[in-house]
Structures are given as C-alpha cells and as structure tokens.
C-alpha cells in the first residue's frame, strides 16, 4: 500500500526542464600545484555536483552565476564566485586533519566533523579494503577505536562486531549495519539443525553446527566509499533500539562525472599458520598404556599362520601406547583395508611423515569486479558487478559470491530528485567449516583433541581416494570383520567429501527515495528500503559415517521493509545562530519464516539426499513465522553558534509489537553539545591547529525478542508403539513473561579532539559510561521450577571505557610521506545488579563443568569451573599421588573473556607512486579456555606428555622402571608429595581444567600492502583509454608476533555472538594469505 | 499539487504509525496456545518412562548395580557422574519434562466442566492418574537426591524454591497415594487407550498399580520406620498386583519411538556396553534360563564372558547385550507381578502380615521373572530346584536370598535395584577398578543448582550431610 502511494507520488510529480546552462570547465590544485582528485564541486543552493578526476579537472553545468562550493577531504572548503567566468582554477589549502571532514551521521545526514558533539570515526572504503577482505568487517579490525572485531577462521564465517563493549546480557551485541539508509539484518546465521534443536540462538555452542556468516559479508567491499562508525547512544538514538549497539554506516560509491570504468582483478593464496595448529609428539603411538600386555599391542593372528601378531589398538583415539621403534613390525589400520598395498602386511612402528597439517591445502581466493559509473547535471548512476570465489584450505570447500550493485539519482526538477539503489547478492557455498566438538562433521577434534600420532594422514587421503569409503584409522575392533567400522572418528577426507553441508543465499537490498526541496530551508525525503533474502541449507551425514546417517534441509526467508518520511530543515536564525532540524516517521515491517526438516533413523539408499529417503517415519517439519512491526517518530534539532558552539537534541518514540500491548512504546532522548575551543585559543597558541570538547547524554530503549511474552506448547512427534499412535504436547522449556517492560540504556560520553603543528599530530579521545538496565533476557533458572529459563527484565550492566585515536605525520615531503594512526580502546564492564534476587546469570555451559557467567559485581563473561584445592598455599594431591584433588565447586573463577584493551597501529609510507602500509593489531589480556588442550592433555598427543622426568628417565616409563612424575603439592596431611605416579591414559588428567585457561592476548601483523600507482599521464598513448593503474601486493594475518595460547589462534571462535566467547573447541588454524591485485581505471 | 501529494504521504505514514495495537505481529501462528489435558499427561508419562529405561544414556544405574560394565569409556562404570551427566539429566527430565507437564495437565483437568463425554467421575479418575505418575516421579527424585525442592517447586514465579526435608516429602507422597486411591473409581472411565501409555485407560489396573507403588514405597521405610512400613505394606498388599494381567508394561515401537536402550546399545554403535562379571557369573553358575535374554555371546570366542567393572577390554572378547535386550521395541516393565512377589516375600520375612510364606512368594517372584523373559515352565522348575536357588538350601539370610534373586530379576530396571541394594545391602558387589568414589548412595545435585539456586542448595547440602554421592539418604540407615 505504502509502496503504491510512494510510486504514485513519484509519478505525479510534474517534470519540467531547468534553465539554460553551459558546461563550465575547471581544475582543482593544492598549494604545491598537485592536482586534487576526488574533490566535490556543487553550485550553492543546488543539489548534485561533480567530482574532480585524477588530474584535478572537472566540468560542471552552470548558469554562469552563483557560487561554487569546492570541498575535499583534508582541505579547507572553498567558495568561488563564478559569475561571468568561463573557466576556473581553484587552489585548495590543506587543513587540519579532522576539521573539515564531513561525516555521515544517523539517517544519512552529512555533518561537518568539527561541530559534531559525539564520537564518530570515518574510514574510507579503500582503507578498510586495503588487503581485499571478503567480509568488510574484517577490514575494520584495529582501525577504529572503540570497535572490537573478533574474526574466526571459517570459510565465509561471521565476524563479531562489538562497539564499546558488551551492553546486552542477552545474545545480540552486534552493531547495526546501514547501507545508504537501508538497515541490514545482522543476525548471526547458524545452521538450521542447530537453530531448530534449540541449542543456540546467538551463535554456536561447543556441540557444533555451521557458521553461515552475517550481514556484513553481503556488502560488496569494492562498492564502499566510506564507513562511519557511530559509537554512542547519542549518535544512534535516531535509529531506535536496534542501534543500541552502535551503527556501522556504509556509504557506497556514487557516479562521478563523465563515464568511468574501474576494473579490478586479484588473487590471494593462503596457507595455515603452523603456530595456530596442533603440534603432536612423535615418540609414542596409539593405545592406552594400562591394561595391555604384549608390548601395548593387541595380540591376534592376522595372517592365519597360527602365530599371533602385533595389532595396533585402533579403537582408542589416544596416544599412550608403545614407544616408536622401527624394528617392531605391527599391523596398523591400513593392514585391514583390502585395497591398501599394505593389506595384511605389517609395517614398522614409527612416527608418520605426514601429520594432520597435511589435511590443509592452499586456499585460493579470486576476485574480479567491474564498475561503471557516470554523472551529468541531471543525475548519476553506477553499475557494478563483482565476483569473489574462495576455495578454502580444506578439501571440498568453495564459497562463491556474485554481487550486482546499482545506484542512480535523477533530478526531475531543480527541487525534486529521485534515487534508487539495488543490490543483489547471490552466494553459493559448499563445505563451510563445521564447528565444535562434533567429530562426525569436523576433523579438528581428531587432529587436536583425541588421536593416534602414528597415523600418516597422507595415507588416510590415499585410502579414501581408492574407493571413496570411510577407511578410518579408528576401527572399532581390527580383530573382527564386524569391527571394521569407524569407532569415534571418520577418515577426514570422507568427512570433508561426504558429510559436508551446502547452502545458498539470495539477497536483495536497496531503496527508492524521493527528495523534495520544498522550500529553500526545508527538504523532505520519502524512502522505502527493502532487505530480503532466501536461504536454503542442506546438511548430511553419509552412510558409513559415525552417527546416524541423515539429511536435513532448512529453508528460510527474511523480509524487512522500512518506510521513512523525513523532513530536514536548515535555517539561519541570525548571522551567528544556525538551526538544523529533523522530523520523521519510520515504519518497519519484518516477515521471517522458516521450515526445517530432517530424516530420522538413517538413510535407505546411500548417497541419496532426500527427505523421503528416511529409514524412520518422517517427523513433521519445524515451521517458524516470526513477523515484527516497529513504528517510530523522531525529531532532532541542532543549534550552531558561530561555528564553534553546537547543541544537539534528539527524541524518538518507538512502538514495538514484541512487547505487551500496554507497555509497547518507549522513548529515547539524547542531548549533546560541542565547543570548538580552538576559535578562542588560536591567537595565543599558534602550535594548535584544532581543538574541540564534546559531551553528551542519551537514553535509548529496546524491545523484547519475538514471542517472549506469550506461552505456547511444543508438539513433539506422536509416539507410535505398534498400532497405537499417541498425540503429545509439552510445555516449552523457556517460560515467557507477559509483564515485560522495555529495556533502557543510559549513556554519557565526553570527548576531546585536538591537533597540533599544522595538524601533523593529533588525537581524538573519548570517555564513555553506559548502563543498560531492565535488560530483557531469558535467565537460566533451576529446572525444579519446571523450566530451564525465564524471560525477565533483569539486570543493570555497566560499561565504561576510554577510546583514543592518535595520528601523526612524522615525514611529509613532496615525494615522501609517512603517516601513523593508532587506535586504542579500553572497556571495563561490570554487572551492577540482577533482578529477582539472582546473583549470577549463566551464559553457557561447556564440557568439563566449565561455564561462562555474568555475576553481580563482576565483569560480564566470567569463565568458571573447578579449581585446585589448597593447603597452606600448596596444591593438594590425593594420597596415592596420582592426581590433584579438585574442588567440588564449579563456580571458581578461571578468567574473563573480555580483553584489558585492544589497539591497532597503521603505518603508511608513500614514495612517489609507491605506497607501503602495514597494520599491527593487538589485544591485551582476556581469557580463553581451551577444550582442545584439555582433551589433548588426556589423549597423550602433546609433546609435553613425553620427555624426561626429574630423575632423567623417560616420564612414560612405569614407576618401577624409574618413570613417572611427581605432582608438585602436598597430601591431605600437609606433607609434601613425593609419590611418583605413572602418566598413563588412566590418570592422564594431570592438567586439570584451571590450567587450560590461557591469556588470549596477541600481537599480529594483520595487514601489509605494497602498492604502485601508475597515473594515466605516464602511460603515453594508452592514457587516452586508461586513467590509472594500481598494482598491489597484499598480505593478511602474515605473522602472529606474540600470543600465549599454544597451538591455536586466541582470536578464533565458533561464530560471532556472546554465548561461545572465551572458549575454544575444534578450533581452526589461521590462514596466512598473500595476494596480488590489479586495478585499472578507464 | 506537489504539496498535496506530500501531505497525503505524510498523513498515510503518520496514521499508519499511530496504530497502537500491532501486537498481532507477535502472535504465535505455528504453535498452540491452548491444548487438552491428555497429551500433556501422555508426554509426562513418556518422559518418566524414557528416563528410567534410558540405561546407558542419561541413566547409569545399570553400572552402579553391576548389570553392565564398559569396554572402552570406563568412566561411568567407575562411578564418574560427570561424564554421564546423570545427576543433571535425571533432575531435568523429571522436574521439567515429566512433573511440569503433569502439573499443567492436572490444572487443565481441574477447570474442565463435566459433560456427556467426560463425566465428573472420569475427570476425577484422570486427575488421580496424573497424580499417581507424579508421585512415582517424586519417589525417584527423592530416593535419588535426598532433600529436593517440593512444596515450592514447579512454580516459575518463585525462582528460588527451598529444598524440603526428604522424610517429610516421603510422608506426603504416601498421603497423596491414599488420596488417589480414594478418588479412583471403576464406575467411570480414565484416559483414552492411546493417551494412557501404561494401562490404556484401565482404572482397575491403575488401582492395583497404585497399591503396588504404595507397597514398594512403604517397604523402603522398613529399616528407618518399621511401624509405618508395616502399616503401609499390609494395607497395600491385598490390592497390589496379583497377576501378570495387572503388570505395568509400556510398549515401544520403532525409531524414533524406540526403547532408549536401543539408541544407546545399537544406534550409537558404541560397542561399549558389556556384561558385568558378577551378574554373568551368577547367571552361568546355575544355568539361569534368562542368560540368553540378558546377554549375547562374545563374538571372538562364542562364549558367554563377563567383564571386570572399570577395566577396558576389547569388545569382541566379552558379552554384550542380547539381541532381545537391544531390540528397538523392547517393552519397559514399570512394575510387575514378579517384583511384587519379591516384596511380599520380604514382607513376610520381616513379619508383616501379607499372607503366604517367604518361600511361596520367593518362588513366584522367580517364576514370573523367568516367564516374562520367555522361559518355559520346565526351566522354571529346574531352576527352582537348583540347590543354590531353592529357598530352603540357598545361601544367606532370608533377606539376602530374596535380595540376590531380585537383583537378577530386575535386570532392565536398575533404578529399582539401586534402591534395593542400598536398602538391603545385598548382594555384596565388588568395587569397580579405578572407582572415583565409594558406593554411590545418591546422586549429587546438578552443578547448575550452585549457580541458579545457590543459597537453598547450600542449605540442602548441609542438611543431608554433604552433597557427595556417599551421603546416605534417610531410609538407608545400614
């Protein structure tokens, strides 16, 4: 309906021609006479304009009177009278780094940064995409203060984007992405089976699933002009509740004058960073050291000659077995593979040539894009096509994404402009990284956690390739034919090639808008934005795999429509006082549905993946439909006094369908002010180039999750015994609450921006403090209430922090420049209170009784578990000295997953056409608890389980032979433990849970790029066609300079979201990538 | 003209945004907000039965009472509850999946207005059935943990329910059973056949079952409160199960309506559940007719071989569960005539007046057990004639004789056996190799309770004598 009205409105607008004009040519230069490219020029009082080309030239339609306004980032804006002129040369003066920058603020309003009363940081699309990232959020890491990016090493996976710390105790703390005014749904997409088993609603837990990425991955990095990060509530209040976690405003490229073609092609190769992958011991092979006679092998006549042979105990996924000795000939897993050349042959008992790292190949990423754009006095357009194809580092992985971007504006009259953007993204993926402790789908558990170090993985690959069968090293029982089935782990190549998932997503987003300059001071914008996608996911476990073979499919569709009507007013009240106002209405309508269905009991025909191929009766599909409506009004006013004092106020009232009808509306307010004190000081402080103080206060609201106010029943599948079918209904495990009220975040912020020495050095610092109160979330409750959790208004979570950006230009000459930018953020959060008497909120529980918690008086994200018991400061060992005595309590604090601080330093060097840039990204502190290490300690695959003891004998020898170790500590009676204990699989828990909590800090050389620019002018005759060529060598994650977590990347996680942070399980190694990129402009 | 269009647009949007009631967007369109009482009762009954039958899954009492050992992952056999998570599973399933649904079922029934199809008597019968299943679930809970949330439980408005005293809960449960018996009436119907998984609506059988449950619960008090035990057992016995027609047996089907043991033994392909040596040796020693029903032969040797508890072995060298015992549709015996006869034997031995002799009930208990597992009458006769079985010649005290044969007969019902072995202290089972604790007399509370209901948890742990598995419950005084 609204759509029709809007289009009718557009259609009815009379179309009339402008006045007589000519094409005025000109050129923009800087003080040194170098051309300024990318400067924008428009005629005062008119919309639309042109941008200078590479050589600084432009041509603008003009009526030969009026004033031209010329602006460029980093230069003072110039006003030039063109009355009577037929050609024009403009010299721009370089300015203080920040002062004349224009930033994009809420609702797409462009404002000069010098009077902005809240923190906002802008980086250019080129800077964010310097090393050609597939997901633009990856490109923000270390470049924006107050922004924490946590990436994982999954193909096409999601990226955690958190602004100024975790504010919500619930699951969504992700910043909102807004692309040219279209809000993009930023939910973390996890696999359908995970979502529908109710195991997760905000990322993946330790039990596994697939990470399908999030919204940021659907934004074309090549299409981005600039990214503005709005950090605080005062900056984002106009967007309402969904922006409570900050907004990443993305402005895409616009058409430039003339006809321009930009083509880009690049290729990147990646290999795993060995320091982030498991390192195994190479001295003792498969088995359990206890309970085995016969040298640690199974004794069985394999060849039928009546003489028993040594057979490797293949079923134990552990490496506590016999020491390698090439003189011992044993029957290993391959001796039971009839197609193997070593079938029924014994092979020497030695460490393998190819460990699990053999599994990883070279990842190859190709990307190509072509952009066509143009503009004239009537309008502009751009049309782009991009293709990115990532071939992952594991077998059978491919992620292909095609993107079409279109944008156009057209001036119907002097006063009316219509514009539209349309983006289509089509992504097809095979073999996303399975996560977690799920050995059916992921091979990381068998590499990192439980394994047999005698296994040669190249031989595993060959065994799979011979017949595409699940020839595993982990036979259940090699001594019987029925035992030749996988016990706990598949052949990794079988897993990758047959138990894979595949999915596709078709997404369309964009908007149509009509802009009407009703009066010289009043502009009205009507806009309809659409974001819609359809997703299909298929998962499978092949016949022959561990677990029940299965096939499932998940189809979901998402649609969000936003209708905006926004009036903006610009009025000079008098010579000194300016007024900018904004008044608007927003209606948001979401429609989200999904269907999930799975086979049961196995697959009848192998390799046939259809629901009908189910062995068991097919269960009813799980359907969801979760529509949502939010209506809001908003208003904002800015008063600016003589360009140095400004006062902002904004108000929004939202009404959300997810709250009880009597309490479904809530308000936001923000008040902010800034004082550019430079104006007062500049005469006395010549070293000062700019200075601004700003402060603001805001309160914003938030609604509830869909369906959290009304109780409904689950309907399990009927129970069928014989001919009787019984209908079942069950209460849900989450208790909803019809008395919820909106949650609120109160936020204050004070900031100081200064630059010195002609802007060679400067900083921008902000201190902020937020309290999120009456948080709506399902809190874990005792199940003796009948429920696992209940929705309540619980808690007050406080964040306060300090964020600072410092920049400097140590060297700047005509040919050479060196610029440094550093970002530093320190956030401290603390749970002030939880309602209803609770003192602890459990966020997630994991294996080994580890949990993550929010405890009153403590920071969010505490990692808790068992710990040692102590006697007079000494660890207590049990009486036979075989293990530490651990606490029975599981609430001991082992750490906290929040970093102490994060930061990044970018260095840019430019020498003539060359540019070199590198980014060092840092994280100090925080804890990660490694399930991988915990299990690996138990399974005997780690080097620490070998070596010599205090007597100089091999630790693994029996105690009677001088082996074993003495656990440091005291016995229950207080005497020092002197009992030597054997280290075997029976008591391999020598390193209990508290020892698996590691410092998650790191220092990484995140990005490196070396580029060479060839301007068109140097290309001779070709310059008629080619305006410029850029060649770039780029590297990403090349070097982890420092970290404390062994054998893994401390940054890696299963997916974005809160409930799996601080834990690692089945972690993937980091990919170091190096690439080459070629960009040509025509 | 232009202006008017904008005014129209403005009006449309503003009016649209003014609609106060957009709550219909939040309506559940895929799930029911109102349901009948019966499917909740069915679901609660199923949850309870599945948990009891989930041997090897969320219920590791089969290791505690030495019915099965483990070949590979020995943790559970060594009393490691951490890896099995049984304390959490049992608590969650019984409170959340069973009792909470039963409570809702009862509350719907309590507001049902009698009509032509559902008479007042029928509604009263149904409420009694719901309560009887609930009492049984509470009985399992209170004998698993000790003090538990009871009077304040199942109320999501009270997030911190106190733990009630176990003896007081027990007394109240017996009272509830008497009340249910008073309410059950064969003059009305119960739930429909498909809704009542245990008795398919047969109220007479519900009456005998309730008496049987009462008798079992009464006997549990025999050591701590012999007088009450005597009164309760004597009152219940005449009306408790007296024939196999009254057995409470739940039928299972094929996946996913299978017996949970099938999932653990067969589907999971664990090759981990193996015969435990004490029971295997016992069965072999007098050629027990139930041997082939309980266990299979070791694939390597073709012999029946038991394993030492807590020690890893190669699966093929020992016996696993029998084909019969690992069938997907293996029925689950909730309570049967055989078990009642053993209780009557014990009652007579303790001097309670329930009629018959110790020997007559002992023999009948054994007979019914063997016959249930498919044994012929001739095998029963031969078995009972074995001097080590025959009541007159078998070794041990009266109680020990009964306890030994009951242990053998409860093979698929380790929960009940776990109560008996704590109560009767017989048979004396060897501790597993590598046991991480003494014999488990209870389950520790779910560790989650420490964080979600901490103060009440701490008080309860102190009240029972420590939240460890070796703490004895109030009725377990020897």
């Amino acid at each position: 309906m609204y759509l029709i009205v809007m289009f009718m409105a557009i259609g009815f607008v009379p179309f009339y021609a402008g006045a007589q004009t000519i094409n005025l040519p000109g050129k923009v230069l800087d003080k040194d006479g170098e051309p300024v490219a990318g400067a924008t020029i428009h005629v005062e009082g008119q919309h639309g304009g042109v941008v200078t080309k590479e050589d600084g030239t432009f041509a603008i339609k003009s009526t030969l009177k009026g004033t031209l306004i010329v602006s460029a980032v980093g230069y003072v804006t110039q006003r030039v009278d063109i009355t009577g002129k037929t050609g024009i040369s403009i010299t721009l003066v370089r300015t203080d780094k920040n002062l004349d920058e224009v930033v994009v603020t809420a609702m797409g309003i462009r404002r000069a940064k010098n009077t902005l009363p809240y923190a906002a940081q802008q980086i250019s699309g080129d800077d964010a995409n310097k090393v050609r990232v597939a997901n633009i959020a990856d490109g923000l890491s270390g470049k924006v203060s107050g922004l924490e990016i946590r990436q994982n090493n999954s193909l096409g996976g999601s990226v955690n984007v958190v602004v100024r710390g975790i504010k919500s105790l619930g699951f969504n703390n992700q910043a909102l992405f807004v692309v040219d005014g279209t809000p993009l749904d930023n939910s973390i997409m996890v696999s359908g089976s995970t979502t529908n088993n109710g195991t997760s609603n905000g990322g993946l837990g330790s039990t596994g699933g697939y990470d399908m990425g999030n919204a940021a991955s659907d934004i074309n990095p090549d299409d981005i002009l600039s990214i503005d990060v709005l950090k605080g509530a005062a900056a984002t209040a106009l967007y309402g509740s969904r922006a409570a976690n900050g907004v990443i405003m993305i402005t895409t490229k616009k058409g430039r004058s003339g006809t321009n073609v930009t083509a880009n092609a690049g290729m990147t190769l990646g290999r795993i960073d060995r320091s982030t992958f498991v390192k195994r011991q190479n001295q003792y092979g498969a088995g359990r050291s206890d309970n085995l006679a016969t040298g640690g092998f199974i004794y069985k006549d394999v060849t039928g000659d009546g003489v028993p042979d040594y057979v490797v105990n293949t079923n134990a996924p552990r490496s506590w077995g016999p020491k390698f000795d090439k003189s011992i000939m044993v029957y290993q897993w391959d001796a039971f593979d009839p197609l193997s050349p070593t079938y029924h042959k014994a092979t020497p008992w030695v460490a393998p040539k190819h460990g699990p790292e053999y599994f990883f190949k070279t990842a190859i990423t190709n990307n190509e894009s072509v952009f066509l754009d143009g503009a004239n006095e009537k309008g502009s357009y751009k049309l782009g096509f991009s293709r990115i194809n990532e071939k992952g580092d594991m077998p059978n992985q491919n992620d292909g994404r095609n993107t079409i971007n279109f944008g156009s504006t057209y001036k119907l009259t002097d006063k009316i402009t219509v514009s539209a953007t349309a983006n289509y993204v089509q992504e097809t993926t095979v073999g996303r990284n399975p996560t977690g402790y799920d050995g059916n789908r992921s091979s990381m558990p068998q590499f990192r956690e439980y394994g047999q170090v005698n296994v040669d993985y190249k031989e595993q690959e060959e065994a799979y390739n011979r017949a595409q069968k699940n020839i595993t090293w982990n036979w259940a029982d090699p001594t019987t034919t029925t035992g030749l089935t996988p016990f706990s782990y598949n052949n990794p190549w079988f897993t990758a090639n047959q138990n894979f998932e595949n999915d596709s997503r078709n997404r369309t987003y964009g908007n149509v808008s009509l802009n009407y300059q009703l009066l010289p001071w009043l502009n009205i914008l009507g806009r309809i934005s659409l974001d819609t996608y359809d997703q299909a996911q298929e998962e499978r476990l092949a016949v022959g795999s561990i677990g029940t073979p299965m096939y499932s499919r998940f189809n979901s569709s998402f649609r969000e429509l936003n209708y905006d009507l926004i009036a903006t007013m610009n009025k000079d009240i008098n010579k000194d006082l300016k007024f900018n106002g904004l008044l608007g209405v927003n209606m948001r309508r979401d429609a989200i549905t999904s269907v999930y269905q799975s086979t049961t009991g196995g697959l009848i025909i192998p390799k046939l993946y259809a629901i009908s191929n189910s062995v068991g009766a097919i269960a009813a599909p799980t359907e969801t439909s979760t529509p949502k409506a939010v209506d809001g009004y908003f208003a904002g006013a800015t008063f600016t006094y003589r360009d140095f004092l400004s006062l902002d106020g904004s108000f929004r009232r939202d009404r959300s369908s997810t709250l009880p009808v009597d309490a479904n509306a809530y308000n936001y307010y923000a008040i902010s002010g800034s004082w550019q004190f430079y104006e007062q000081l500049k005469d006395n402080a010549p070293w000062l180039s700019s200075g601004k103080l700003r402060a603001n206060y805001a309160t914003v609201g938030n609604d509830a999750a869909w369906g959290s106010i009304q109780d409904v029943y689950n309907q399990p599948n009927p129970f069928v015994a014989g001919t009787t079918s019984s209908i079942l209904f069950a209460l849900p495990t989450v208790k909803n609450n019809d008395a919820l009220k909106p949650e609120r975040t109160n936020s204050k912020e004070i900031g100081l921006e200064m630059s010195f020495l002609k802007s060679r050095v400067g900083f921008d610092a902000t201190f902020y403090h937020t309290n999120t109160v009456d948080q709506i979330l399902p809190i874990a409750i005792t199940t003796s209430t009948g429920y696992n959790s209940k929705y309540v208004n619980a808690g007050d979570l406080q964040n306060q922090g300090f964020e600072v950006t410092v920049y400097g230009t140590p060297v700047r000459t005509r040919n050479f420049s060196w610029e440094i930018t550093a970002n530093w953020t320190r956030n401290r959060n603390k749970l002030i209170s939880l309602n209803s008497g609770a003192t602890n909120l459990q966020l997630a529980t994991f294996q080994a009784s580890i949990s993550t918690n929010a405890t009153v008086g403590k920071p969010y994200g505490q990692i808790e578990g068992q710990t040692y018991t102590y006697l007079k400061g000494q660890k207590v060992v049990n009486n036979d000295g075989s293990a530490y005595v651990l606490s029975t309590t599981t609430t001991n604090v082992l750490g906290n997953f929040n970093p102490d601080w994060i930061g990044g330093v970018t260095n840019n060097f430019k020498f003539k056409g060359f540019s070199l840039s590198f980014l060092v990204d840092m994280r100090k502190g925080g804890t990660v608890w490694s399930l991988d290490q915990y299990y690996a300690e138990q399974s005997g695959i780690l080097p620490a389980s070998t070596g010599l003891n205090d007597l100089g004998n091999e630790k693994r020898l029996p105690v009677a032979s001088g082996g074993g170790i003495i656990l440091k500590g005291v016995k229950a009676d207080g005497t020092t433990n002197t009992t030597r204990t054997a280290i075997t699989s029976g008591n391999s828990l020598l390193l209990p849970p508290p020892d698996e909590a590691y410092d998650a800090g790191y220092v990484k050389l995140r990005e490196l790029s070396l580029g060479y620019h060839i301007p068109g002018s140097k290309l001779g005759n070709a310059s008629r066609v080619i305006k410029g060529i850029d060649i770039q060598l780029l590297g990403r994650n090349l070097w982890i300079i420092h970290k404390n977590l062994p054998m893994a990347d401390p940054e890696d996680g299963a997916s974005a979201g809160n409930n799996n942070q601080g834990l690692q399980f089945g972690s993937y190694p980091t990919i170091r990538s190096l690439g080459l990129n070629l960009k040509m402009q025509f | 003209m232009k202006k008017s269009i904008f005014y129209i647009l403005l009006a449309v949007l503003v009016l649209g945004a003014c609609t106060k009631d957009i709550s219909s967007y939040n309506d559940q369109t895929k799930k029911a907000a109102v349901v009948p009482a019966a499917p909740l009762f069915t679901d609660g009954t199923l949850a309870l039965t599945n948990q009891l039958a989930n041997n090897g899954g969320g219920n590791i009492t089969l290791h505690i009472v030495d019915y099965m050992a483990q070949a590979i992952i020995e943790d559970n056999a060594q009393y490691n509850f951490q890896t099995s998570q049984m304390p959490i599973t049992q608590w969650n399933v019984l409170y959340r999946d069973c009792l909470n649904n039963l409570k809702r079922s009862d509350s719907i029934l309590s507001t049902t207005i009698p009509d032509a199809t559902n008479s007042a008597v029928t509604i009263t019968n149904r409420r009694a059935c719901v309560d009887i299943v609930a009492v049984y679930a509470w009985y399992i809970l209170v004998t698993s943990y000790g003090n538990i949330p009871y009077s304040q439980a199942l109320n999501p408005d009270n997030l911190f329910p106190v733990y009630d005293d176990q003896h007081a809960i027990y007394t109240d449960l017996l009272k509830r059973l008497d009340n249910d018996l008073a309410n059950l009436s064969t003059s009305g119907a119960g739930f429909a056949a498909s809704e009542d998984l245990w008795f398919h609506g047969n109220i007479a059988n519900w009456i005998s079952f309730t008496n049987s449950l009462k008798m079992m619960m009464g006997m549990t008090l025999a050591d701590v409160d012999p007088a009450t035990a005597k009164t309760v057992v004597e009152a219940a016995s005449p009306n408790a199960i007296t024939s196999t027609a009254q057995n409470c047996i739940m039928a299972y089907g094929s996946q996913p309506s299978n017996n949970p043991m099938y999932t653990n033994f067969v589907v999971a392909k664990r090759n981990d559940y193996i015969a435990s040596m004490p029971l295997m040796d016992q069965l072999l020693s007098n050629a027990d007719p139930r041997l082939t029903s309980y266990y299979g032969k070791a694939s390597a040797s073709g012999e029946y071989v038991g394993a030492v508890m807590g020690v890893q072995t190669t699966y093929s060298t020992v016996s696993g569960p029998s084909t019969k015992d690992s069938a997907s549709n293996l029925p689950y015996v909730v309570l049967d005539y055989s078990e009642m006869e053993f209780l009557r034997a014990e009652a007579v031995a303790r001097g309670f007046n329930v009629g018959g002799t110790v020997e007559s009930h002992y023999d009948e208990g054994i007979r019914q057990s063997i016959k249930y597992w498919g044994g012929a009458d001739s095998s029963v006769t031969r078995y009972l004639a074995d001097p080590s079985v025959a009541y007159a010649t078998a070794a041990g005290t009266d109680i020990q004789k009964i306890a030994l044969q009951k242990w053998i007969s409860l093979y698929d019902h380790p929960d009940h056996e776990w109560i008996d072995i704590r109560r009767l202290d017989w048979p004396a089972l060897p501790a597993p190799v590598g046991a991480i604790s003494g014999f488990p007399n209870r389950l520790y509370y779910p560790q989650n309770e420490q964080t979600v209901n901490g103060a009440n948890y701490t008080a309860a742990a102190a009240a029972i004598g420590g939240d460890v598995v070796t703490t004895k419950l109030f009725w377990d005084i020897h």
Side-chain angles (χ1 to χ4, degrees), chain B residues 212-289:
Chain B
S212 303
L213 182 58
K214 182 179 162 186
M215 184 167 154
M216 181 169 70
M217 290 180 62
M219 192 62 91
T220 305
L221 295 173
D223 283 349
V224 69
D225 184 358
T228 304
K230 182 172 161 56
T231 315
V232 173
V233 169
E234 287 178 356
S237 178
N239 301 312
I241 297 170
T242 51
S243 79
T244 54
Q246 295 168 326
N247 284 353
C248 181
I249 295 177
M250 196 177 99
Y252 276 105
S254 52
Q255 273 189 310
S257 302
N258 57 294
N259 187 312
M261 286 209 297
Y262 173 72
T263 307
N264 304 326
F265 293 170
V266 181
V267 179
K269 292 186 192 157
R270 289 274 301 274
N271 283 356
D272 198 12
Y273 297 96
I274 50 174
S276 160
M277 197 174 276
L279 181 58
M280 175 60 87
D281 289 353
Q282 177 66 39
L283 295 172
L284 289 170
S285 69
N286 38 31
D288 196 305

Side-chain angles (χ1 to χ4, degrees), chain A residues 683-797:
Chain A
D683 298 334
N684 298 327
W687 41 270
L688 191 67
S689 322
S690 72
K692 181 177 82 171
L693 189 66
R694 54 187 157 74
N696 61 62
Y697 176 83
T699 173
V700 300
N702 205 350
D703 57 2
W706 187 88
S708 52
I709 56 175
Q710 182 199 1
D711 284 327
V712 286
Y713 293 87
N714 290 329
Q715 188 170 11
N717 287 298
F719 180 79
V720 184
T723 55
T724 310
S725 175
S726 305
I727 307 299
L728 304 176
F729 274 109
L731 283 160
T733 59
V734 179
K735 178 79 181 95
N736 289 329
N737 188 338
D738 59 6
L740 291 177
K741 54 185 180 180
E743 72 176 43
R744 284 176 297 124
T745 300
N746 302 320
S747 126
K748 321 177 245 221
E749 164 188 324
I750 183 159
L752 179 66
E753 292 168 34
M754 291 177 85
S755 66
F756 314 94
L757 306 173
K758 293 183 178 158
S759 293
R760 288 283 284 267
V761 187
F763 70 86
D764 178 344
T766 307
F767 177 80
Y768 59 87
H769 179 105
T770 63
N771 282 84
T772 307
V773 295
D774 284 341
Q775 301 222 350
I776 298 173
L777 73 158
I779 60 165
I781 57 178
T782 167
T783 41
S784 62
T785 56
Y787 298 89
N788 292 343
S789 54
K790 180 184 179 183
Y791 269 97
V792 292
N793 281 108
D796 173 358
L797 184 63

Side-chain angles (χ1 to χ4, degrees), chain A residues 288 291 477 487 516 565 589 623 627 706-707 713-714 720 726 731 782-784 786 788 790 836 842 849, chain B residues 6 10 25-26 30-32 82 91-92 96 100-101 104 154 156 160 194 257 270 312 316 447-449:
Chain A
R288 295 169 181 271
N291 186 37
D477 182 357
F487 180 62
Y516 183 19
L565 187 63
R589 294 293 181 267
E623 300 171 77
W706 187 88
Y713 293 87
N714 290 329
V720 184
S726 305
L731 283 160
T782 167
T783 41
S784 62
N788 292 343
K790 180 184 179 183
S836 47
Q842 198 166 62
S849 297
Chain B
F6 274 105
L10 190 74
Y25 278 83
N26 208 36
K30 296 292 180 186
K31 286 183 174 177
Q82 187 122 332
W91 180 281
N92 287 352
R96 182 194 61 203
N100 203 36
N101 286 315
R104 179 60 62 90
L154 306 176
F160 307 100
S194 71
S257 302
R270 289 274 301 274
Q312 297 131 15
S316 56
Q447 284 162 334
N448 201 25
E449 287 289 299

